[in-house]
Structure formats: structure tokens, C-alpha cells
């Protein structure tokens, strides 16, 4: 890819243009994703990660030990707890600025997890993964590339392990090994921001058995490597932008992006291979990555800030912002939203050093954070819809508002408070629709449930770490029971 | 309108064709609503109320004392508690069959509430409303027409009463009175199924002050009366049907319908006027209507049955239906769904006779039912999304599935359990999307919040009826406190 | 036992006096339970079931087809849905009057369940159980006796079935069979009101395997039959009455009662044996009994009325009853309390005839009711404590209030609103403590969890009856999936 | 008081003996609180704060800049965020070790809040409070005394402000000012650990109006100052210890303590006066103190650890610990318990420097923590009772278990799993009763609601700090609304 460091959002757009990606959407090959009306908002969201680094460098950049320069924080390996915490601060801010998923966390969490795991593999086996990874990270930092992290396999019949599936490709695996590298096959589902990335890092999705060594593969490749196909998924209300106008889209500028990525014998040269058959480290990688990634859902507190702000605004536009029950609901929304923030932040604050020297967030609290996110965002959505009123789902289209036949009627009858333009009321309602029933509900709600692992995955981790034995000792002692 | 009794769904479609309605949608005048791809599913849902009367007459018809014939239950005045209960049974069934709002309850609840209120106005004032209403009902029963009930005013600045608004039209009111009748002005928002109705009954939306007599108007008119304009609202994901194919629409056949209805000096002749200035009866009408209508939300238990069925199916398709946590979630969904049903049914079972002789459901329990609906449907939606998995919002389009370029890839990689066609898995996911983030989420979620009054409206009613004084006496007696 | 019909509460007290019961409490044999300060409140509560029959005969009596007389409703076999419903109305009323468990429902639910089950056993096997049961019921009705129903076995290691326990006595079983009858051994736990009963009916506690026929025993015996020992359990704050005064007790007059009942080869003559080895009917009996008993928890809505009344009173005494957040909490309490009532009532309203002719409540809704009770009572307790303020657990004793050294200080400083006597404020606080942390919390909270089966038991029943297959068909039809 | 530094628990007991306190409990003057069976467990809990400082000095001591020595952390002024965090770690640990309220936090939070407030008063007014306070703190550190913080006034009619009460003494106020100091009158309610303290610091309880300057008083006095009377409140199940044995008490060794403290013209010399009439600083003090104190409720996560351990143990004793629904409930308990911990810790981690140089925790998150505590502890109590089974409230007394008449029966029939002594099962059940319905439920539940301010107080703070304006700007920007 290009050899100049990407700095501005414009640089980033330029860096994406003209790639030879195999991208499909709504039944058609997409010639230039950057120019596709349904894709562009997700590119805009990613671009914000560059812009924030310029606008608030303390927040969104860090000092790299590898390049000696100030780099984008998304590419930084956190060397102390405060730097892990700063990731969360940056994530909340970007959630506030975009109102959606800005897609760059997966890569950040992946390289931070791989940093310690590769170190520990090498320590045990004498492999060269850690040095390769550091060189890869340095390369990405120099270019300021976006790394997409690809973990979630298709899984097929979920009651069966990778090797027990009828079709071996239902989990990404090594199809062939040569002296120069490996060829991989399979597909990764729900790949966040993959088309907006420059490189992808594939990783195994679960604990593996010893005989499943072909599934224990970690490696990086450019997004336009030969053999990769992308099929972009539909989002609720995705075509609102196509219908014309921008009000109906709610948040016309920003959205998330998720695609199915199919690897048809894609080659990864050795220098970009960071795990190759070490099945016993698959679970460790999954756990460290998901720990980072689950507390990364602090971003949803940022999106929640937008939703709270929208709900407060619509209450004001309706003239009811001072009613006690309205205020109580805004307080409840804030309480819950800050609970997401606090649990994620506590996980980051309680980070500990790994043997490789980087910092890993607290796993129990990370799972607590994510599990709370799976409930809280839905409750916030319900409360926001409560404050919005029924017009949320019965509001006529922008086209009706612009039409000479009906515009004046809507102007007259959709008025709330006298001093508020009807259009503003429409806009704020559409934003709430966007976040709770529309395009960005995909990220704010369903992704909050299933991203970084579905709810039950967090419960299993909590079960592993809740240390009942210790707690039973405490209880027995106070109850006067001798062990 | 036509003079033959409507019997079948086909009859119903015929009865709608060729009317001169002023309907707008997406910025354009709709020539024939029946043929509009976005409107037709809502007509289909209404048609089910005719078809059910043929398929299950015990459930969906009743014996009319006015015509002496078996008539559609939606047009029947309930003469005992069991008949009120039967409304609920019919509503749940129609929710199961359509998976959406079938739109005919408003009219049923309106005429049942008006029946006793007009009787009591006449009793006090010697007015002729009750006889007029009975004749109107007989007429509707003979034709088997759909009655739309129009209550919810636009309201403008909600901190102000009707007469205190800057624009008097923000609440529907009498603009002019003549010897022959009245002319009304204003608009009603969120009018369920109005375009699919034959007649509309307008009613005041709230308690009125004595000086607000021009707002105390109840009357009926054909939907194509001169001066009425309809602007149909957008629903989440409404254009999925337009994109081609039917899978992406989720529930391609059925949907709800809500429109803004504007009355520009619409004439109502005296014979169809059922209240005209009796402000002191406005609150009684609102309370009786909302009591009926709030326990009518038992229909959502029928839609909930569909959602539970879809969630159970997707779990099966994923191969996880036997996992304990999956079963627990389905139990939780059932528990909550039956709580909607039980609270609504209890309200109907506890009906009492009014002085006019018809039966009115229990108001406290009706409000309990509706308030539970405002919470439970959202929790069911969350649980269904939990069981669905992330593919719910990342699933590629039907067009990609049909395309030669990508169809085989999706066939291979979106497979869950070996014996389940990929298409089936896509279909069930799209149905869950439709109900929780798509078109029918408008009815299943947001309408469950705001239909028949927003959550706080129920709480105010509960507050009025919770009879603290009696409960305080019970407590004081047991505490040994002498009054 | 005595041969005069018991009518008044006094008659009832007389009927209890002088029995030869083996009763233990707090380490001592109790000479006359009726006179024991800790037991008497539970006798008072039971006596209310007699008094209500005099005060509100429509509510608390019914016409017996067996005696031809008006009898106490607790001894009546419900012959139509309305009579099942009337049980619930009576239960709520008694909960309101006593603020505790009045203990007579178990017997009512037991004979109503046995009525149809014995009929069906006889139908299949030609046994004489149904006729015996009818005669037993007639006898009880003539005397107006209290029947205690004994189902819950001790269970030992819950991971093991009755026959797999190390000690066979951990489930009540037939130890010996003679021509004249059976001898039973074992123990029943948590037996509600057993010492206040005249007769006990023992029943198996769970589904039994064919080889566990000695556990399939149902029979009746007088409470003072030879071989029975009662050990009364402790309740939270049980000795408040002993400390002197009555304020600290909260509800000094009424309480519940639960004991461990041990059967040491207790003889049951054949005429009182209603099942004897028919293992295949054990599950049916358990299900029918628990269906009745789970919707009997409507009584907790009556206790909830007392708690709501107490909470409203303390708010008034504190001078904050008009604050919006206080009113909202009272509304929430009412909403939840009526949800208990509505779900139980719906189960009763939806009763159906059994082949024996009596009416059985709806099982699914009965389980919904009980499961809601397990959550709602705790939330009501929390809200009541919220309204009470911290004084709930820091209030000095009545003795301090009566003491010359400190009484005037408490009079001065524990005053809330000027016009409310300090003593009243103390009394209402102690009532809330009694219901949420004291003696009647045993019944209102923990028994609401575990009585009539622990929460998971209801979930298992809901799972059995939620009929996923039917719901899946509904969903598939709407999704366009062909079966 | 004594002049030797208190080091061990024994030293602490010695320091309490022989004081001339006016203490009343259950209607009697208490000669020596230390020896009173109902009081001693609360002294034991406080003693743990000394013992932990010896056992885990890193956790429970800190380096004092005032004495230059290692001192008990409860007397330390936190000079950076990490030291604020360490308070939380210590609090959770002490909750684990005592299973109750150990009572020493109030003083810690009071001196930490006063540190910055006195600095800011002096800065504005040139008063000498800060220097006096530092000297007072140094004195306390040298002696290692317990400081009790007395804030909560009696309040009387809560709809009225201090100066509007009928009786001016309903809020503590300055009755008389002399050259040497002030005389205060009034009473403080619910004073945690006051009798176990050496010194008390009184503080105003709310925002004050300018004319309420006599209520703006902060000062310290020895607990045995002339004119102070203590009346200890009753706790649920408080007399379990009196009944004999120790099993029934549940947690026989430890409890909390709360008393009503009456000040009858108590003299405070100037050197111990830290605010005197500066009404405009009352709100600041209340807010800073409650911020510290609300995140101090992290201690409840420690008590929650005990409850979770007890619940897991009883499940094991019942033989059901492997059932999926049991495990799920333990996971849920852990999730919620860690949410308390995480929100409190996040508040501490996010501490900021005040102008006086000490560190103040984040106020918004502190209020989030406390508000979560008001809900979560109740849900944990419900879940623990669910796991315990009904025996929790029907278990016979220890006396029955020790009695020759009934002991063998209980031994036989209360057995759960074969290998677990019946006594152990009884003990763990009693511990759960103690925490959820007994003595320590006062601290774990009701105090979790009302301690450090009732729930609504937190909501008001959250409302003040939720910064809607900023969030509205975010929303408007994304919605395309120009300000």
C-alpha cells in the first residue's frame, strides 16, 4: 500500500482509494467502496480516529517505543495501566463524536493481546513470533494504518467443535504450508470495519484441542491480498440514505460496518505469521483479546451520551423537560450509562503487567463491563424511545416535509414548542430512531449484545474467575464452620 | 361507500379500491393505496380480521342485538364479561397470525367506550347521542365496515392545554357549527389503520376545561370525506420490500400502518355527532376508551408468541437449542409474555356492567397490563436478539444470496446445522430483525410504549386508582395505630 | 376430636385446647401451644378464616353439595371457575386482614387437587379412593376443621431420588402395610400451620419411579395421631414479643407458622388412604396441587396492600408524601402488587373442568403467578424500606420509649410531622420491619420464594407448557419457511 | 482519653473500658458497653480495623506527613488517587472479614472532606480552621483513635428546612457562643459506631440558607463529653445472641452499631471548631463528604463476597452445586457484586487534587456506585435466599438441636449431603439469615439504601452532574441541528 504516513482524514480517504478489493453489497460488486453511499458513512467514522489524533493529541496519540514518534493510540502497545485507561477515554470520546462504531478498536485490542501471547509462546517454544509482531507493529505505526482484527469464525453447527464440522472451512484454517508461508481457507463473520482497514490480523476464535493445530493460526495480510472476498451485511434501515435527503437517515454522516470475509487460499508469508499450530495458546489469546475488547465497550457510553443528549433534547422540544418523571428517566439513563463507563474503566485501571512488559486489563471486570453493556444499552434505548414519544415511528418522510403538497401541513402540525423549528424536531427524532431502531442500532444494540462474544461467553468467564472457594472460606469462617 | 356486506378478505380489498383518498407517502400522492407496495402489507393484516371471522367464527364473531345477525366481533358491543374476554382471545390470535398490528381494535374500543358514555350524557342532558350511536353501530355492522378511532391530538407544546396553544388547530376542534352539523379542524397523529378503515370516529384526547367546549367533539365520518388529508409515516426499515425479494423484509406479508390525519373543515352531519360541547364527559370518555384499549395490548402477547417461536427456531438452527442458558431464556420470554396476557385477561374478566348495560373492563388492571407491555416487549426483543446471534445485523442481502457471484459462498458459509437450508436460517433471522429492529418493531416496541397513552399516562391512572387510604387503614390497624 | 361444628374464632380456640400434641420450640416441649406467646399469633391468623366466614359469608363460605349446607370456602370443592376465582378474592382479603400467612390454603388446595386425581386413579384401577375422599371431605365440612396439607419432603441429598437416598426416611414412605391400613415413616419440612390444624393430609412431593411405590402414599390423620412430633422453626425476629411491649413486634397479633413434622410409624386406617402405591399418579397430583397452590399466592397481594399502606403512611408521617419520587414509588409498588393479583386471577378465571367435575385452574398461568411472586415481593420490600428511611433499623426499643430516662428524648427527637404522635411513627416503622426483615418477612419474602415450590420448579413447569412447537410454526409461516 | 497509641485489638478494647458514657439500650442504662452481649459484636468489628493494620500493613496503613509515622489508613489524608483507591481495597477486605459494617469509614471520609473544605473556607475568609483540623488529625493519628462522623440530623418534618421546624433542636445547632467555644444542641440519628469511637465530629447535614448560620457548625469532641446521651437502636433479630448458643445468631462475632446521639448543650472549645457559621460552605462539605462516603460502600462488595460464599456453600451442602441454574445464579451474584466494586473503584481512581492538595474522588461515579448499591444488595439477598431454600426461615433453634428430646431427629432429618455435618448446614443457613433477614441485614440492606444518603439523594446529585447541555450538543451535531 502507499508509503506516506497517513495523518489527516483526507490522507486516510486517499489511502483507501483505488484498491482492488472484491467487495459485494446488495447483490452487486462495489467498484469503489469509498464512493458508495451506503459505505461512506462507515469510512467517515473511521476517519474520525485520525482527526481526533490531530484535535486532541493527548487523548488519541501515544509515544511509541518502536518508532520513537508520537503515534495514533490505536496502534500503541500500552506500557502501563494509565495507557490502558487512556484507550477507554479515547473510545468514549469517539463514541460521542460519531454516535456509532468507529471500528478501530479490534486491531488495537488484537495487537495488545498478541504482544504478550507471542512473547509467551516464544518463551516456551523458542519461536520468533514476538519479534515478527513487533516489526509488524512498527510498520503499521510508520504508515499509520488501520488494522482490522478477524476472530469470529462462522462456526456452523455450534454444538460441534472446529474439527467435528461437516465442512472444515467453517473455521478458518491452514489449507497448505510452504517454506515461505501458509495458505488459509475459511471465513470470518461480522468483521467490523474490514473494508476500511489496511491490514487484517486473523486469529482463532476459541479454545482448541491438540489435534486441531491447523486452526491455530495467527497472521496478518493486506486487505487486498489475493483470494479475499468481502460481502457487506445489511443493517436495519440501511437504505434511508438512498431514499434522498438526509433527515430520514438520522445520523447521515456516520455508521458502522460489518462484513463477511471469505479467505480462499490466501497466502501469508512467514514474516507475518504470529502463531502457527500452537493450539495450547489459542485459549490464552482468546481470553486476553476478549478481555481487552470487552472493556473496549466503554465506547457505548460515548454513544449513550449522544442518546441521552437526544432524549433530553426531544423532551425539551416537546415542552416537558421539567416534568419530574422526565428528569427521573434522564437520571436513570445517566446512572446506567456511567455504570458502563465505570466498569470498563475499573478493568483498565486494574491492569497488570504481563511477562512481555505490556499491560493487560483486569479480565473479571472486563467481562462485568461487557455483560452490563448487553443489558444497559437496551434499557437506554427503551427510555430514549419513551422520551421521544410515538412520533418516533410515525413521522412522515423528509420528502413529505420538502413537498409543496404536504410541507406546510407538517410544518404546522409537527410543531412542538413554538420556538423550535419543526425540522429540528424531525432531526432529533430521526437520530433516536437511527440509534434504537435504525442503522446505528446495529452497533449500539445488537453489537453490544454479541460483539466481543455473546452474553453467555461473558458469564462463562465470570464463572471461571469468581473464585467461589475463597468466598466460601470467608463465609465458613464467619459461620463458625471448621474446614 | 358500498352497500354489500363485506365478508371475505377479497370483499374487503374490493371495498377499498377506487376511493378518493388524499394520501401521501414518501413525498408523493398515492393513487391507489391498495396497490402500493409499502401499504399493502397493512391492508393484508386488516384483512385477517375478516378471514378469521370465517375460519374461527366462535372466536371472531358475535351475535348482534342490533341486527339480529352474527357479526364481526370488532363491531360488537360486549354485553357481558365473557364477551370482553373474548376480545382478548381474538386479539392474541390475530397477533399470532400477522406478527404485527392488525389495526382494528381502536374502533372496537371506541364504540364500546362511547356506548356507555353517550348513555350517561343523554341521561344527564337529555341529548340524543346514544340512539344515534346505536344506529351508527347498526349501520357499520350491516356493512361490516372497519371503524378507525381517532383520538391522539398533535398536542403542540405539551406543557400547555388545548386552549392555551398558540395555534388552536393543534387539537381537533369544532371550527363552525350549522344547523345540519359541525365542521372540524385540526389533526390526529399516529392514526392506526386509518387508510384501511371505512369510517373514522374522532374523539377528544384529554380532560377538558369548561371553556374548551369546542374541543369536546365526537363524531363519525367516512374516510373519504371532503377535507381529509393523510400523510403516512415512515417505519424503520420500511423500504426493505422495495429493494426486491422478500427475505430481507422479514415479514413480507404483514405490517401495521400509522398516518397523520389532517381535518380541514370536515363536515359531520348531526346524525353522526355523539358529543358536542359536553366538556365534563371528555375525561370519562378518555378513561373508558383507554381502559379498553390498554388491555387490548394483549395482542402483543400474540406477537410475542411469534417472536418466541422465531427465537426458538433460530436456536435450533444454530444447534444450541438444548443448552441450559438457551432454555432459560425461552422460559423467561414465555413467563413475561404470559404476564402480558394474564394482566390483560384479568382486566377483561373483572369487567362490570355500566348503566347503559354494556360491560367495561377493570381500569386499574388495564393500566397494569399496558404498563407491563411497555417494559416486557423490550425485554423480549433483547432476549430474542440474544438468541439470534450477531448475524441478525450483519446478514448479507437476499440479492447477494441470489447472485451467482456470491450465492454459493453464502450457501456454504451461512450454514448452521447441516440439515437446515441456509435460506431458512436467513428467513428466521430477518423475521426477528423485522420484529425488533425493522418494520414491525414500530408496532411491537414503540407502539407498545406509546400506543393507548405513553407510560406515564398509565402511572397517573394507577395512582388515581391505587386507593392508598384503604391500604393505610389496613396497615394502621395491624400496627395498632388508632385513627 | 370434638363433635360440634366450629363456627367462631372462639370455637376454634376451644377446639385446639387440650390436645396431646408432641410440640417442641426453642429447645422445650410446649405444654399448650394455644397459650405460647410465640405460637399464639399464628393461631390468631388461622382464626381469621373462621371470623371472615361470619363477617363476609359471600366471600368466605360456599354451598356444599356434600352436606347441603353453607360451609367455609377453605373446605369447599370448586365446581366452576367462579368458585376458583372466589378463593383468590378471599385469599387477598385475608392477607389484608392479617398481614401474614393464615395457613389454611394448603388444605384447600390439597383436597381440590385430590378430588380429580382420586377420580382418575379409580377410573383406571377400580380403586375406592374418590368415595373415601368425598366422605373425608364431608366429615371435615361437618366439623369445620382445618386441614393441613403435608407435601414437602426433607429430600436429603437433592441430587438423588427418594429410593437412592442413604436413609429411606428422607422421603415419607409406607413402612408397613396391614389389612387395616398403613404405617408411615419420615418427615415433612416447612409444614405451614400444622399445629393449628385438626387433620393432616400427607402427599408425595415429586414424580416417582415405578419401583418407588412405597413413596406413593396419600392419607389423612388427626394431628394428634400417635407417633407424630412437631418441631417449630425459628422465624426472623421471633422473640420480639418476648422482649415485652408490643410495638417492637410490629404485627403483634398475627404471624405464620411452620414446623418440621416427623412421622414415626404413624398409622392411617384404610378409610383415610387416598393413594397407595400408584406411582404413575404422583406427578399428576403434584402438578395439580402446585397449580392450585401457586396461584394461591395471590394472598401476597393482600399482604402487599398492607405493605403499600404502611409505606404510604410512613411517607406521610415524614412529611414527604407529595414528592414526585415518593408517589412514583407507590405507583410502582401498586403496579407490581396488582401484577401478582392479575396473574393469579387469570389462572383461576381460566379454570377448566376435570373428568371428576370439579374445576382446575390454568397451570401455565399459575406458574407465571408464583414466579412473579418470587421477584415482586422482594422489590416491594425494597421500595417499602426506601420509603421508610433508615430509622427502620436504628429505631430504639419500645422499652426506651417507655423509660423515664429516655422516653422524653425519643418523644422529642423521633417526631416527624408535628401532628403525628411519635408512637404512631414507631408503630408503622416496626410494621414495615416486621414485613421485610422480621417475623412476617418469613412468609412475605422467603416463603414467597420457596413455598409451593422453589423458583426453578416453576420454570420447569413453564418450560413444559410453553409449547414452542406451536410458536415455531407461527414464526415459520410468517417468515415464509415451509415445514 | 488514654495517652498510649492503640495498636492491637486488645489495646482498643482497653481504650474503651471505663468511659463515662450515657448509653441506653432496650430500656436500660448500659454500665459498660464493652461487656454488653448485644454491643460487643460491633466492638469486635471495629477492632478488626486495628488488627488488619497489623496483619496487612500495606493495605491498612499509610505514611502520615503529619506524624512522619506509618498510621492506620482510616486516619490518613489521601494525597493521591492511589491512596483513595487503597481505601476501597481495605474496605472490601474488612467487609469480607467481618460480614458487617466495621464503622470506621465515616470518620475517614469526614476528615478527608473537611481537609479541603476548611482550606477553602480559610482561603476565602482568613479563618484558622484548616490548621486546627490538621492539628486535630495529628492528635488522632498519634493516639490511633477512632473518629466517628456525625452528620445525619433528625430532620423532623422533611418538607421543612432547619429554621422552619417547630422545634429548633431537630437540627443540631449552636445554642450559645462564648469566647472559648460553642455549645451545641440537637440530635444526630443513625450514628454508626459512635459508642465505639473515641471522638465525634459533628457536621451539618444539608445545604443551608444564609440566615441558618447557627446550623453551620463543624466541631470535634470526645465521645464522653458532658451532655451527650446515646440510645442504641434495635436491629432485626438482635436478641438471637441472648437466646443462648451461637448458631442462631448467624454471625455471632460481628455486627454493626447505630445509635441516636443527643447533644444537650455540649461544649466544643475553639481549637476543635472547624466551621462556625459559614453557611455557604455547608453544601460543599456535604457534597464532598457524601462523595467519599458513597463510594465507601465498596465495603458491601466485601460483605457480598461472604454472601456469595455462603450461597455457594449451601448449594453444595444441598447437593445441587452443579445444576446449571444454580451456577447461573452465582454468576449473576458475582456480576452484580463486582459492579458495586467497579463503580466505587472507578470513582476513586478518577480522583482529582483539591486546592488543599489532598485527593477527592469523582462525585458522579461515587453517586453511581451508591445508587447501584441500593439495588444490588437486595437482589443479591434475594438470590442468596433462593439458593438457601425454605429451611432458611423454618430451621429449628440451636436449642432444639442440642436437646436430647429432639437433637437426634434434627440430626437425621436436616441432613443434606451425606458427608456434611447437619450442624454445618444449620450454621451456613443462619449466616444467610443473618445477612438477609437478621442482624447484619440492617447494615447489608437497609443501610445500603439509606446510609450516606437515601436513594433520591444520589439521583439529585447525578442530575446535577450529568451535564445534559454537553450531551445535547453532541446529539444536535450528529442530527444536523445548528445551535
Amino acid at each position: 500500500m502507499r508509503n506516506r504516513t497517513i495523518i489527516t482524514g483526507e490522507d486516510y480517504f486517499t489511502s483507501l482509494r483505488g484498491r482492488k478489493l472484491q467487495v459485494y453489497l446488495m447483490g452487486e460488486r462495489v467498484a469503489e467502496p469509498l464512493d458508495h453511499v451506503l459505505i461512506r458513512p462507515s469510512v467517515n467514522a473511521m476517519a474520525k480516529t485520525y482527526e481526533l489524533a490531530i484535535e486532541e493529541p493527548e487523548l488519541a496519540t501515544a509515544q511509541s517505543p518502536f518508532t520513537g514518534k508520537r503515534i495514533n493510540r490505536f496502534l500503541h502497545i500500552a506500557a502501563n495501566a494509565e495507557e490502558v485507561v487512556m484507550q477507554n477515554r479515547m473510545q468514549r470520546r469517539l463514541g460521542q463524536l460519531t454516535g456509532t462504531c468507529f471500528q478501530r478498536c479490534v486491531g488495537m485490542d488484537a495487537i495488545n493481546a498478541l504482544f504478550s501471547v507471542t512473547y509467551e509462546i516464544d518463551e516456551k517454544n523458542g519461536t520468533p513470533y514476538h519479534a515478527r509482531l513487533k516489526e509488524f507493529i512498527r510498520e503499521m505505526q510508520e504508515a499509520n494504518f488501520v488494522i482490522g482484527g478477524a476472530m469470529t469464525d462462522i462456526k456452523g453447527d455450534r454444538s460441534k467443535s472446529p474439527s467435528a464440522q461437516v465442512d472444515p472451512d467453517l473455521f478458518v484454517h491452514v489449507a497448505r504450508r510452504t517454506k515461505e508461508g501458509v495458505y488459509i481457507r475459511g471465513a470470518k463473520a461480522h468483521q467490523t470495519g474490514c473494508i476500511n482497514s489496511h491490514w487484517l490480523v486473523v486469529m482463532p476464535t476459541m479454545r482448541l484441542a491438540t489435534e486441531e493445530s491447523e486452526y491455530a493460526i495467527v497472521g496478518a495480510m493486506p486487505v487486498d491480498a489475493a483470494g479475499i472476498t468481502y460481502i457487506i451485511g445489511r443493517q436495519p434501515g440501511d437504505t434511508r440514505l438512498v431514499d434522498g435527503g438526509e433527515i430520514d437517515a438520522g445520523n447521515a454522516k456516520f455508521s458502522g460496518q460489518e462484513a463477511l470475509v471469505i479467505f480462499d487460499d490466501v497466502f501469508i508469508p512467514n514474516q507475518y505469521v504470529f502463531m502457527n499450530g500452537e493450539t495450547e495458546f489459542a485459549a490464552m489469546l482468546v481470553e486476553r483479546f476478549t478481555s481487552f475488547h470487552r472493556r473496549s465497550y466503554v465506547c457505548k457510553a460515548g454513544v449513550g451520551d449522544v442518546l441521552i443528549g437526544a432524549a433530553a433534547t426531544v423532551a425539551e422540544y416537546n415542552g416537558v423537560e421539567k416534568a419530574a418523571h422526565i428528569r427521573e428517566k434522564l437520571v436513570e439513563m445517566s446512572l446506567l450509562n456511567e455504570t458502563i463507563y465505570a466498569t470498563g474503566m475499573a478493568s483498565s485501571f486494574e491492569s497488570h503487567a504481563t511477562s512481555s512488559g505490556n499491560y493487560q486489563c483486569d479480565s473479571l471486570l472486563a467481562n462485568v463491563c461487557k455483560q452490563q453493556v448487553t443489558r444497559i444499552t437496551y434499557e437506554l434505548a427503551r427510555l430514549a424511545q419513551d422520551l421521544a414519544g410515538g412520533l418516533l415511528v410515525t413521522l412522515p418522510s423528509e420528502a413529505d416535509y420538502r413537498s409543496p403538497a404536504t410541507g406546510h401541513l407538517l410544518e404546522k402540525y409537527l410543531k412542538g414548542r413554538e420556538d423550535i423549528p419543526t425540522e429540528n424536531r424531525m432531526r432529533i427524532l430521526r437520530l433516536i430512531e437511527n440509534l434504537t431502531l435504525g442503522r446505528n442500532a446495529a452497533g449500539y444494540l445488537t453489537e453490544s449484545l454479541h460483539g466481543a462474544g455473546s452474553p453467555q461467553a461473558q458469564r462463562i468467564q465470570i464463572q471461571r474467575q469468581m473464585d467461589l472457594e475463597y468466598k466460601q472460606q470467608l463465609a465458613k469462617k464467619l459461620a463458625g464452620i471448621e474446614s
Side-chain angles (χ1 to χ4, degrees), chain A:
Chain A
M1 227 156 279
R2 285 145 211 76
N3 49 15
R4 263 194 41 210
T5 301
I6 301 169
I7 297 172
T8 67
E10 277 308 314
D11 292 347
Y12 169 62
F13 298 140
T14 306
S15 77
L16 296 186
R17 193 171 292 282
R19 299 174 301 169
K20 300 272 171 297
L21 297 181
Q22 292 257 24
V23 178
Y24 294 89
L25 173 57
M26 303 277 284
E28 291 173 4
R29 175 83 186 267
V30 177
E32 174 53 82
L34 189 65
D35 297 334
H36 194 291
V37 64
L38 293 186
I39 298 174
R40 185 54 183 255
S42 72
V43 188
N44 292 340
M46 183 73 88
K48 264 288 167 198
T49 67
Y50 288 94
E51 292 167 11
L52 189 69
I54 298 170
E55 292 158 12
E56 304 186 36
E58 276 309 308
L59 186 62
T61 69
Q63 184 67 25
S64 168
F66 305 137
T67 68
K69 300 178 202 153
R70 200 85 195 162
I71 56 159
N72 194 292
R73 190 177 293 285
F74 282 102
L75 294 171
H76 183 60
I77 300 301
N80 52 54
E82 183 57 24
E83 289 191 339
V84 184
V85 166
M86 286 303 286
Q87 296 176 347
N88 277 165
R89 295 197 201 279
M90 174 178 68
Q91 288 163 327
R92 183 168 188 173
R93 184 78 184 116
L94 281 165
Q96 293 177 336
L97 293 174
T98 61
T100 188
C101 172
F102 38 88
Q103 315 147 47
R104 207 170 172 182
C105 302
V106 194
M108 175 176 76
D109 296 332
I111 57 174
N112 275 276
L114 281 167
F115 195 83
S116 64
V117 173
T118 53
Y119 185 92
E120 293 178 41
I121 301 176
D122 292 358
E123 213 174 23
K124 187 179 168 214
N125 297 339
T127 39
Y129 301 137
H130 190 65
R132 288 179 186 172
L133 179 76
K134 284 205 287 194
E135 177 52 24
F136 169 68
I137 293 170
R138 197 197 54 72
E139 211 178 310
M140 296 296 107
Q141 291 177 347
E142 290 288 1
N144 196 5
F145 276 158
V146 173
I147 305 174
M151 180 172 270
T152 311
D153 280 294
I154 284 297
K155 290 200 191 86
D157 185 336
R158 277 145 203 251
S159 62
K160 293 177 179 160
S161 69
S163 55
Q165 301 287 332
V166 173
D167 178 349
D169 298 350
L170 291 172
F171 286 76
V172 167
H173 61 103
V174 176
R176 192 151 53 97
R177 289 189 165 92
T178 68
K179 219 170 123 186
E180 291 75 25
V182 299
Y183 290 83
I184 63 168
R185 284 188 69 75
K188 295 285 187 180
H190 331 301
Q191 291 309 300
T192 300
C194 52
I195 290 149
N196 302 340
S197 302
H198 301 94
W199 282 70
L200 292 180
V201 176
V202 296
M203 299 174 281
T205 204
M206 60 189 291
R207 183 177 298 272
L208 295 171
T210 315
E211 66 274 16
E212 298 176 318
S213 66
E214 68 272 31
Y215 295 96
I217 181 71
V218 177
M221 71 213 75
V223 290
D224 53 2
I228 308 184
T229 303
Y230 301 87
I231 309 176
I232 300 184
R234 295 208 68 172
Q235 292 170 328
D238 43 11
T239 53
R240 282 287 171 94
L241 275 172
V242 179
D243 305 337
E246 56 149 36
I247 296 181
D248 293 358
N251 178 347
K253 191 164 176 204
F254 299 116
S255 78
Q257 175 193 95
E258 276 161 337
L260 176 69
V261 184
I262 297 146
F263 301 90
D264 186 13
D265 288 349
V266 176
F267 178 66
I268 311 176
N270 286 329
Q271 77 184 101
Y272 294 119
V273 171
F274 312 128
M275 178 190 289
N276 190 354
E278 292 82 0
T279 52
E280 72 274 30
F281 285 94
M284 180 195 284
L285 174 58
V286 172
E287 190 183 319
R288 292 197 185 164
F289 169 73
T290 57
S291 283
F292 275 128
H293 204 42
R294 286 174 188 171
R295 62 84 239 199
S296 280
Y297 276 72
V298 159
C299 68
K300 302 303 180 199
V303 182
D305 289 330
V306 174
L307 188 59
I308 293 168
T313 303
V314 80
E316 198 181 295
Y317 288 0
N318 290 340
V320 295
E321 77 278 13
K322 282 179 192 135
H325 72 97
I326 299 289
R327 287 201 321 262
E328 277 296 311
K329 282 165 191 166
L330 289 166
V331 167
E332 184 67 18
M333 291 178 83
S334 298
L335 166 71
L336 296 175
N337 199 46
E338 297 300 333
T339 299
I340 292 176
Y341 179 69
T343 49
M345 289 290 274
S347 169
S348 295
F349 274 121
E350 297 260 41
S351 293
H352 60 275
T354 69
S355 56
S356 72
N358 80 336
Y359 269 65
Q360 176 76 37
C361 67
D362 183 81
S363 174
L364 177 58
L365 295 178
N367 281 284
V368 165
C369 173
K370 176 67 209 315
Q371 181 79 180
Q372 290 284 11
V373 168
T374 67
R375 300 174 178 180
I376 286 174
T377 53
Y378 283 79
E379 180 64 2
L380 260 66
R382 190 180 73 84
L383 289 166
Q385 291 194 12
D386 185 346
L387 293 169
L391 208 48
L392 184 71
V393 295
T394 68
L395 186 69
S397 63
E398 178 176 1
D400 287 306
Y401 184 64
R402 306 287 180 213
S403 152
T406 48
H408 63 291
L409 294 171
L410 296 181
E411 189 61 45
K412 174 184 172 84
Y413 284 115
L414 295 187
K415 194 121 197 110
R417 242 174 55 187
E418 180 56 15
D419 57 334
I420 303 296
T422 299
E423 181 177 324
N424 286 8
R425 198 172 176 220
M426 292 176 72
R427 285 183 176 276
I428 207 76
L429 284 166
R430 287 297 182 212
L431 178 60
I432 296 175
E433 187 199 33
N434 172 275
L435 280 165
T436 65
L437 291 164
R439 201 163 183 200
N440 286 327
Y444 186 58
L445 299 180
T446 319
E447 186 200 310
S448 286
L449 260 187
H450 293 291
S454 295
Q456 197 62 16
Q458 288 111 56
R459 297 183 81 83
I460 290 167
Q461 281 302 321
I462 293 171
Q463 190 181 323
R464 282 198 188 123
Q465 299 175 311
M466 64 188 177
D467 200 357
L468 286 184
E469 208 174 325
Y470 171 65
K471 290 171 185 164
Q472 289 184 258
Q473 283 165 13
L474 295 171
K476 286 179 183 173
K477 177 129 197 232
L478 290 174
I481 297 170
E482 288 166 35
S483 312

